[in-house]
Amino acid sequence: MSKLTISDIAARAGVSKATVSRVLNDRAEGVGPETRAHVRAILAETGFQPSAMARGLATGHSRSVGLIIPDVINPFHPLLVSGAEQALSAVGYSLFLCNTGSNGAKQGDYIRVLVDKRVDGVILDSVGFEAEAQVRLLEREGIPVVLLDCVIGDRASRYGVVLDNDHGVREAMEFLFRRPDRRLLYIGGPSDMSQSVDRRNSVERIAREWRLAGDQLTVLPGDFGLECGFRLVTELIGKQSGRPFPFNGVFAANDMMALGVLKALRRAGVSVPGEVEVLGYDDIEFARLIDPPLSTVAQPALEMGAASAELLLRLINNDKPRRKTVVMKPRLILRGTTLAPDDVGQTHIQE
Amino acid sequence: MSKLTISDIAARAGVSKATVSRVLNDRAEGVGPETRAHVRAILAETGFQPSAMARGLATGHSRSVGLIIPDVINPFHPLLVSGAEQALSAVGYSLFLCNTGSNGAKQGDYIRVLVDKRVDGVILDSVGFEAEAQVRLLEREGIPVVLLDCVIGDRASRYGVVLDNDHGVREAMEFLFRRPDRRLLYIGGPSDMSQSVDRRNSVERIAREWRLAGDQLTVLPGDFGLECGFRLVTELIGKQSGRPFPFNGVFAANDMMALGVLKALRRAGVSVPGEVEVLGYDDIEFARLIDPPLSTVAQPALEMGAASAELLLRLINNDKPRRKTVVMKPRLILRGTTLAPDDVGQTHIQE
DNA sequence: TTGAAAGCGCTAACAC
DNA sequence: GTGTTAGCGCTTTCAA
C-alpha cells in the first residue's frame, strides 16, 4: 500500500532517480552492470510499479488507445474488440473501451474524453453522420485514427480497415445465380451505415452487369434486425398464399435478418434449402449454431480488429504505410441453408 | 493540433493558471462571475481539453477503472461490460477493458498494468485459481476491487456482485419437478468456475432435501460448451435405441450446452418439449432467437454489470456499503422448450 | 557511468 | 477574488 515512488527506490538503492529511470526503461548505456543489478534487485524486492501517468506526462504518450464501437452487445463487435485487444496488449498497449450505443452524441463525448486522456491513437468503428466532424477533432489534436469497418468522408483520405463488400456480394451472387431459374430477394441494411450501402450498391451494379430481369431480383430495404427479416418474408409469403413463391432464394445483408427470414420460412412450413435457399452476411457465432446452420458471407472480424490495431501501431510509431486502406476479403461459407453449388438437389454442408 | 496547455489559456485570458483551473473544475468560490465568463469564452473558443494525465498526477486519481473479463466473445460477457460501461461513463469514468482469454497469466499482467495506470478501481470477473494472489496485489496498492459474477476466497471478505444461483436452481427444479414422473438429466459446468460449482451443489442439495430417487435425477459433468451438450445427449440416446428415454427433461448449467442438447434431440427426432423438456441457464441473446425459443434461468447481466460499477464507485468515494455482497435474483423464463407449468400437454410461451 | 535539475500540465495551499 | 508557488512521479538534457 506504500505508494512507492522512484525517489524511494533511488534512496534505497543509494543512487539517483535518473539511474533508476534508466534501469526501469532498460536503457542500454548509461548505467554500469553492478548498479543495474543492484537497482534491479531493489525493484524486484519492493515490487515497484512506476506510475504510467507520471511517465505519460513526462514522455508525452500514454501507451493506451481508444476503441470506439457502436454496441458491444451486437455479436459482431466483440470479435473486432477481441482482435484489437490481442494485438494491442501483446505490445503493452491498453485499451479504453468506448461503447457508444450507436449514439452520435455519446460518441462525441467519448472522443473528447480520449483527447484529454491523451491516448496515443483511436480505432473508430462508427455509425452516424456527425462522425466526420468528430474525427477532425482528433486529427486536429494530432491523434492518429484508424477507421474500422466504416468509411468516413472520402475513403482515400484516411487510414482504415474495411471489408471488400463488393467481393463478398459478387461471390454470393455468382453462387446464387448458378441456377438460371433463380428469383432472388435481397434484403438490405440501414442507409446510414456505409457497409450496408456498399453491399446494396454492389447487388444493383451486378444486376445491371448481368442484365437481370425484373423477376430475377427484388431489393427490399431492411434495418439489420431479426424482426425485420421475419416480417418482410412473412408478409411476402402471406400475400402469395399458394406455391410457388415469388422467390426461391433470399440474400440478407446481415445474419440477424437472415435468422429472421429462416424463422419466417419455418413458421410457414417452407423447406430450407429445398424450396428457398437462404444466405446471410457476417458469419456471427450463431450462424453455425442454428439448425440448419446458416450459409453466409463471412467477415474475418477478429483479423479486422487485429489489422486495425496493427495499422494504428504503425501510425503511432510514425511508420506510415503507403496504402491507407487495408481491404479484407470476405469468404463465402456454405452450410445448411443452401443447396450444393453444382448439384441443385441436395443439401451441401462444407466445414 | 496546437497542444494547448492551461498556461496558454491563462495567458490569453490574462489571468493565472489557478483561476483557469478553478473555472475548469467548476469551483463555486474563488472566481468572480466576470472572470469566469471571460475564461469560459476562451476555453470554448480554443476548444481546450485539459490533460487527464497531468490532472491525475496532481490529484492522485485517474477517473478510470479496469474491467477484467475472461472473454468478450462469450455472449454473456458483453452484457456485463455494457452494464458497467453505462454506469461508469454516466459519471465520467473511463473503462480499461482487459480481456484475459481465461488465461491466468494474462490476467496477472493486466492487473499489473492497471496498477501502474493508477486506476481508481477494478471490476474483476475472473476464472482460475491464481486469482486470489492477484487480487491481493490490488489490495496492497489500496485499489478498490469489486468481484463480478465470481467469488474469490472467503465470500464475505470482499465486495462483489453475484447471482443467487441457489434461487435460480431452486425455481428451475420446482418447475421441472411439478411433474411427478420427472426423470431429469442435469448437465453441470467446469469445476473451476464458482458459478457452476454453486449450481451443481444446489441441484444436489435439493435432490437430498426432496429425497429424489436415483432414476429421478442424473447429474453429468459438462464444460459449458455447445458440443458437450450435444455429445452427452447423443450418447445417452444412442445407448437407449428405443423409447422411452432414460430422461424426459434436461437442465443444463448454461444456455450453450442447452443449445447443444436441443440440436442432439432434433437430430434424433425427439420432440421438444413434448417428449423432453429442456431448460438452460443464462438467457443469452440466442436463447430467444432459436426455434423453439429456449426456456431458461435468466441472469440479469446488464444489471449485474451496472451494479458492480455502482458498488465500485461507492468504494472509490469511500462510501462503503454495510453489506459487501450484492446478490441478484435470477428469473425463470419459460419459452418454447418447456410445457406449460400447469397444463402438461401443450407448449406455453410466456413473454 | 552517474547525478543534478529542469520540466511535462495540472491542482491546491497559502498569500495577497 | 485572484495570483504565487510548490509539488504530483516520472524522463531527459547537460555537467561532472
mmCIF file of all heavy atoms in Angstrom, chain B residues 136-161:
data_model
loop_
_atom_site.group_PDB
_atom_site.id
_atom_site.type_symbol
_atom_site.label_atom_id
_atom_site.label_comp_id
_atom_site.label_asym_id
_atom_site.label_seq_id
_atom_site.Cartn_x
_atom_site.Cartn_y
_atom_site.Cartn_z
ATOM 1 N N ARG B 136 -4.891 -9.762 -4.208
ATOM 2 C CA ARG B 136 -4.164 -9.202 -3.070
ATOM 3 C C ARG B 136 -3.191 -8.113 -3.497
ATOM 4 O O ARG B 136 -2.960 -7.157 -2.766
ATOM 5 C CB ARG B 136 -3.455 -10.310 -2.305
ATOM 6 C CG ARG B 136 -4.321 -10.812 -1.149
ATOM 7 C CD ARG B 136 -3.471 -11.460 -0.086
ATOM 8 N NE ARG B 136 -3.086 -12.798 -0.523
ATOM 9 C CZ ARG B 136 -3.754 -13.906 -0.196
ATOM 10 N NH1 ARG B 136 -4.830 -13.813 0.553
ATOM 11 N NH2 ARG B 136 -3.348 -15.074 -0.601
ATOM 12 N N LEU B 137 -2.647 -8.258 -4.695
ATOM 13 C CA LEU B 137 -1.753 -7.223 -5.210
ATOM 14 C C LEU B 137 -2.492 -5.889 -5.270
ATOM 15 O O LEU B 137 -2.003 -4.850 -4.807
ATOM 16 C CB LEU B 137 -1.254 -7.616 -6.614
ATOM 17 C CG LEU B 137 -0.422 -6.577 -7.352
ATOM 18 C CD1 LEU B 137 0.779 -6.163 -6.507
ATOM 19 C CD2 LEU B 137 0.040 -7.116 -8.692
ATOM 20 N N LEU B 138 -3.694 -5.932 -5.813
ATOM 21 C CA LEU B 138 -4.501 -4.712 -5.896
ATOM 22 C C LEU B 138 -4.792 -4.172 -4.507
ATOM 23 O O LEU B 138 -4.701 -2.971 -4.256
ATOM 24 C CB LEU B 138 -5.809 -4.997 -6.631
ATOM 25 C CG LEU B 138 -5.676 -5.288 -8.125
ATOM 26 C CD1 LEU B 138 -6.976 -5.851 -8.690
ATOM 27 C CD2 LEU B 138 -5.287 -4.022 -8.872
ATOM 28 N N GLU B 139 -5.146 -5.073 -3.627
ATOM 29 C CA GLU B 139 -5.491 -4.647 -2.275
ATOM 30 C C GLU B 139 -4.301 -3.997 -1.588
ATOM 31 O O GLU B 139 -4.436 -3.003 -0.888
ATOM 32 C CB GLU B 139 -6.020 -5.849 -1.479
ATOM 33 C CG GLU B 139 -7.385 -6.297 -2.003
ATOM 34 C CD GLU B 139 -7.851 -7.636 -1.480
ATOM 35 O OE1 GLU B 139 -7.010 -8.437 -1.009
ATOM 36 O OE2 GLU B 139 -9.054 -7.905 -1.536
ATOM 37 N N ARG B 140 -3.128 -4.551 -1.839
ATOM 38 C CA ARG B 140 -1.931 -3.973 -1.238
ATOM 39 C C ARG B 140 -1.712 -2.544 -1.713
ATOM 40 O O ARG B 140 -1.213 -1.695 -0.994
ATOM 41 C CB ARG B 140 -0.712 -4.830 -1.579
ATOM 42 C CG ARG B 140 -0.220 -5.627 -0.400
ATOM 43 C CD ARG B 140 1.185 -6.143 -0.605
ATOM 44 N NE ARG B 140 1.358 -6.788 -1.881
ATOM 45 C CZ ARG B 140 2.293 -6.460 -2.759
ATOM 46 N NH1 ARG B 140 3.126 -5.461 -2.493
ATOM 47 N NH2 ARG B 140 2.391 -7.107 -3.900
ATOM 48 N N GLU B 141 -2.088 -2.297 -2.966
ATOM 49 C CA GLU B 141 -1.910 -0.960 -3.518
ATOM 50 C C GLU B 141 -3.038 -0.016 -3.108
ATOM 51 O O GLU B 141 -3.089 1.131 -3.512
ATOM 52 C CB GLU B 141 -1.851 -1.023 -5.049
ATOM 53 C CG GLU B 141 -0.711 -1.848 -5.599
ATOM 54 C CD GLU B 141 0.634 -1.143 -5.443
ATOM 55 O OE1 GLU B 141 0.651 0.077 -5.204
ATOM 56 O OE2 GLU B 141 1.674 -1.826 -5.564
ATOM 57 N N GLY B 142 -3.993 -0.569 -2.371
ATOM 58 C CA GLY B 142 -5.105 0.266 -1.936
ATOM 59 C C GLY B 142 -6.104 0.569 -3.041
ATOM 60 O O GLY B 142 -6.813 1.571 -2.984
ATOM 61 N N ILE B 143 -6.140 -0.297 -4.051
ATOM 62 C CA ILE B 143 -7.095 -0.092 -5.141
ATOM 63 C C ILE B 143 -8.361 -0.900 -4.869
ATOM 64 O O ILE B 143 -8.287 -2.121 -4.703
ATOM 65 C CB ILE B 143 -6.484 -0.530 -6.483
ATOM 66 C CG1 ILE B 143 -5.235 0.305 -6.781
ATOM 67 C CG2 ILE B 143 -7.498 -0.417 -7.606
ATOM 68 C CD1 ILE B 143 -4.524 -0.084 -8.051
ATOM 69 N N PRO B 144 -9.509 -0.236 -4.807
ATOM 70 C CA PRO B 144 -10.762 -0.955 -4.529
ATOM 71 C C PRO B 144 -11.074 -1.973 -5.626
ATOM 72 O O PRO B 144 -10.845 -1.707 -6.811
ATOM 73 C CB PRO B 144 -11.826 0.150 -4.547
ATOM 74 C CG PRO B 144 -11.094 1.439 -4.495
ATOM 75 C CD PRO B 144 -9.724 1.199 -5.002
ATOM 76 N N VAL B 145 -11.581 -3.106 -5.212
ATOM 77 C CA VAL B 145 -11.908 -4.168 -6.159
ATOM 78 C C VAL B 145 -13.336 -4.640 -5.937
ATOM 79 O O VAL B 145 -13.750 -4.830 -4.794
ATOM 80 C CB VAL B 145 -10.977 -5.381 -5.973
ATOM 81 C CG1 VAL B 145 -11.365 -6.513 -6.913
ATOM 82 C CG2 VAL B 145 -9.536 -4.981 -6.181
ATOM 83 N N VAL B 146 -14.071 -4.827 -7.017
ATOM 84 C CA VAL B 146 -15.383 -5.448 -6.925
ATOM 85 C C VAL B 146 -15.357 -6.724 -7.746
ATOM 86 O O VAL B 146 -15.001 -6.704 -8.922
ATOM 87 C CB VAL B 146 -16.495 -4.513 -7.449
ATOM 88 C CG1 VAL B 146 -17.798 -5.278 -7.578
ATOM 89 C CG2 VAL B 146 -16.675 -3.330 -6.515
ATOM 90 N N LEU B 147 -15.695 -7.805 -7.117
ATOM 91 C CA LEU B 147 -15.746 -9.088 -7.810
ATOM 92 C C LEU B 147 -17.082 -9.207 -8.530
ATOM 93 O O LEU B 147 -18.137 -8.989 -7.940
ATOM 94 C CB LEU B 147 -15.609 -10.212 -6.786
ATOM 95 C CG LEU B 147 -14.216 -10.753 -6.485
ATOM 96 C CD1 LEU B 147 -13.119 -9.774 -6.795
ATOM 97 C CD2 LEU B 147 -14.133 -11.234 -5.057
ATOM 98 N N LEU B 148 -17.019 -9.554 -9.802
ATOM 99 C CA LEU B 148 -18.254 -9.628 -10.573
ATOM 100 C C LEU B 148 -18.505 -11.055 -11.022
ATOM 101 O O LEU B 148 -17.675 -11.648 -11.715
ATOM 102 C CB LEU B 148 -18.148 -8.690 -11.791
ATOM 103 C CG LEU B 148 -19.307 -8.714 -12.771
ATOM 104 C CD1 LEU B 148 -20.629 -8.441 -12.074
ATOM 105 C CD2 LEU B 148 -19.077 -7.699 -13.878
ATOM 106 N N ASP B 149 -19.627 -11.591 -10.582
ATOM 107 C CA ASP B 149 -20.033 -12.911 -11.028
ATOM 108 C C ASP B 149 -18.992 -13.978 -10.701
ATOM 109 O O ASP B 149 -18.812 -14.918 -11.466
ATOM 110 C CB ASP B 149 -20.287 -12.871 -12.538
ATOM 111 C CG ASP B 149 -21.117 -14.067 -12.994
ATOM 112 O OD1 ASP B 149 -21.926 -14.555 -12.196
ATOM 113 O OD2 ASP B 149 -20.941 -14.511 -14.150
ATOM 114 N N CYS B 150 -18.297 -13.780 -9.619
ATOM 115 C CA CYS B 150 -17.338 -14.800 -9.205
ATOM 116 C C CYS B 150 -17.050 -14.590 -7.728
ATOM 117 O O CYS B 150 -17.295 -13.507 -7.209
ATOM 118 C CB CYS B 150 -16.043 -14.712 -10.004
ATOM 119 S SG CYS B 150 -15.064 -13.236 -9.721
ATOM 120 N N VAL B 151 -16.585 -15.605 -7.071
ATOM 121 C CA VAL B 151 -16.143 -15.380 -5.698
ATOM 122 C C VAL B 151 -14.726 -15.863 -5.587
ATOM 123 O O VAL B 151 -14.330 -16.847 -6.187
ATOM 124 C CB VAL B 151 -17.071 -16.025 -4.627
ATOM 125 C CG1 VAL B 151 -18.479 -16.196 -5.128
ATOM 126 C CG2 VAL B 151 -16.497 -17.315 -4.112
ATOM 127 N N ILE B 152 -13.924 -15.103 -4.845
ATOM 128 C CA ILE B 152 -12.518 -15.447 -4.673
ATOM 129 C C ILE B 152 -12.246 -15.495 -3.184
ATOM 130 O O ILE B 152 -12.460 -14.518 -2.487
ATOM 131 C CB ILE B 152 -11.624 -14.399 -5.337
ATOM 132 C CG1 ILE B 152 -11.828 -14.429 -6.856
ATOM 133 C CG2 ILE B 152 -10.165 -14.647 -4.991
ATOM 134 C CD1 ILE B 152 -11.005 -13.413 -7.595
ATOM 135 N N GLY B 153 -11.800 -16.642 -2.757
ATOM 136 C CA GLY B 153 -11.530 -16.804 -1.331
ATOM 137 C C GLY B 153 -12.834 -16.807 -0.545
ATOM 138 O O GLY B 153 -13.876 -17.248 -1.039
ATOM 139 N N ASP B 154 -12.736 -16.302 0.644
ATOM 140 C CA ASP B 154 -13.879 -16.253 1.539
ATOM 141 C C ASP B 154 -14.875 -15.210 1.025
ATOM 142 O O ASP B 154 -14.551 -14.042 0.879
ATOM 143 C CB ASP B 154 -13.356 -15.864 2.920
ATOM 144 C CG ASP B 154 -14.462 -15.384 3.818
ATOM 145 O OD1 ASP B 154 -15.629 -15.792 3.591
ATOM 146 O OD2 ASP B 154 -14.161 -14.601 4.729
ATOM 147 N N ARG B 155 -16.094 -15.629 0.763
ATOM 148 C CA ARG B 155 -17.018 -14.742 0.056
ATOM 149 C C ARG B 155 -17.482 -13.529 0.858
ATOM 150 O O ARG B 155 -17.990 -12.562 0.312
ATOM 151 C CB ARG B 155 -18.226 -15.500 -0.474
ATOM 152 C CG ARG B 155 -19.193 -16.031 0.573
ATOM 153 C CD ARG B 155 -20.353 -16.730 -0.102
ATOM 154 N NE ARG B 155 -19.873 -17.860 -0.907
ATOM 155 C CZ ARG B 155 -20.557 -18.426 -1.875
ATOM 156 N NH1 ARG B 155 -21.739 -17.954 -2.202
ATOM 157 N NH2 ARG B 155 -20.077 -19.456 -2.537
ATOM 158 N N ALA B 156 -17.288 -13.596 2.166
ATOM 159 C CA ALA B 156 -17.743 -12.467 2.963
ATOM 160 C C ALA B 156 -16.686 -11.369 3.051
ATOM 161 O O ALA B 156 -16.959 -10.258 3.465
ATOM 162 C CB ALA B 156 -18.108 -12.932 4.368
ATOM 163 N N SER B 157 -15.470 -11.691 2.639
ATOM 164 C CA SER B 157 -14.375 -10.773 2.899
ATOM 165 C C SER B 157 -14.185 -9.711 1.819
ATOM 166 O O SER B 157 -13.482 -8.734 2.015
ATOM 167 C CB SER B 157 -13.079 -11.553 3.072
ATOM 168 O OG SER B 157 -12.677 -12.066 1.822
ATOM 169 N N ARG B 158 -14.796 -9.917 0.634
ATOM 170 C CA ARG B 158 -14.589 -8.943 -0.434
ATOM 171 C C ARG B 158 -15.915 -8.432 -0.985
ATOM 172 O O ARG B 158 -16.928 -9.096 -0.885
ATOM 173 C CB ARG B 158 -13.786 -9.571 -1.567
ATOM 174 C CG ARG B 158 -12.393 -9.988 -1.146
ATOM 175 C CD ARG B 158 -11.557 -10.344 -2.355
ATOM 176 N NE ARG B 158 -10.164 -10.455 -1.994
ATOM 177 C CZ ARG B 158 -9.577 -11.580 -1.578
ATOM 178 N NH1 ARG B 158 -10.287 -12.684 -1.485
ATOM 179 N NH2 ARG B 158 -8.303 -11.587 -1.268
ATOM 180 N N TYR B 159 -15.846 -7.253 -1.585
ATOM 181 C CA TYR B 159 -17.025 -6.704 -2.224
ATOM 182 C C TYR B 159 -17.292 -7.451 -3.519
ATOM 183 O O TYR B 159 -16.364 -7.842 -4.224
ATOM 184 C CB TYR B 159 -16.824 -5.219 -2.503
ATOM 185 C CG TYR B 159 -16.764 -4.418 -1.230
ATOM 186 C CD1 TYR B 159 -15.558 -4.141 -0.616
ATOM 187 C CD2 TYR B 159 -17.938 -3.983 -0.622
ATOM 188 C CE1 TYR B 159 -15.502 -3.431 0.583
ATOM 189 C CE2 TYR B 159 -17.907 -3.275 0.580
ATOM 190 C CZ TYR B 159 -16.679 -3.001 1.172
ATOM 191 O OH TYR B 159 -16.649 -2.322 2.349
ATOM 192 N N GLY B 160 -18.547 -7.627 -3.832
ATOM 193 C CA GLY B 160 -18.834 -8.360 -5.048
ATOM 194 C C GLY B 160 -20.298 -8.350 -5.441
ATOM 195 O O GLY B 160 -21.178 -8.024 -4.633
ATOM 196 N N VAL B 161 -20.540 -8.681 -6.679
ATOM 197 C CA VAL B 161 -21.895 -8.830 -7.196
ATOM 198 C C VAL B 161 -22.030 -10.255 -7.711
ATOM 199 O O VAL B 161 -21.252 -10.669 -8.569
ATOM 200 C CB VAL B 161 -22.159 -7.853 -8.362
ATOM 201 C CG1 VAL B 161 -23.520 -8.114 -8.971
ATOM 202 C CG2 VAL B 161 -22.046 -6.410 -7.885
#
